[in-house]
């Protein structure tokens, strides 16, 4: 059996929303979370995966890194599969 992931579906959801909106604050509003909670969760995800996923542009939002682009597709798929379980 493989080792347990060190990230959560919530972290992936936060990442996907931030990537899709291009804005941490807007993503937080859509998910009814605070900006700091969302930002911290994404930073922890980046730490656990060992690579940056988003480039933060002061007062101009965020954009995806190459690793972020790869993760976005996989995260969407994983979140869709998790939703099917309910």
């Amino acid at each position: 059996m493989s080792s347990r992931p060190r990230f959560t579906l919530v972290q992936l959801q936060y990442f996907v929303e931030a990537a899709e909106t291009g804005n941490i604050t807007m993503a937080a509003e859509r998910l009814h979370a605070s900006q700091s909670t969302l930002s911290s969760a994404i930073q922890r995800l980046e730490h656990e995966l060992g690579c940056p996923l988003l480039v933060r542009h002061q007062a101009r939002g965020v954009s995806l890194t190459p690793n972020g682009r790869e993760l976005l597709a996989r995260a969407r798929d994983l979140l869709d599969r998790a939703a099917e379980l309910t």
Side-chain angles (χ1 to χ4, degrees), residues 3-44:
S3 65
R4 194 172 147 202
R6 295 181 296 179
F7 56 85
T8 67
L9 293 177
V10 171
Q11 285 174 297
L12 291 179
Q13 183 181 22
Y14 287 176
F15 164 72
V16 167
E17 192 67 31
E20 289 177 347
T21 62
N23 186 291
I24 298 284
T25 301
M26 187 181 302
E29 289 172 3
R30 287 185 179 188
L31 295 170
H32 306 289
S34 71
Q35 181 273 334
S36 61
T37 296
L38 195 123
S39 184
S40 294
I42 294 171
Q43 287 174 346
R44 286 192 311 277

Side-chain angles (χ1 to χ4, degrees), residues 40-68:
S40 294
I42 294 171
Q43 287 174 346
R44 286 192 311 277
L45 179 62
E46 290 174 318
H47 177 76
E48 290 300 329
L49 296 177
C51 62
L53 302 171
L54 299 173
V55 176
R56 284 108 174 132
H57 306 286
Q58 183 113 12
R60 292 188 333 240
V62 296
S63 59
L64 290 166
T65 65
N67 288 323

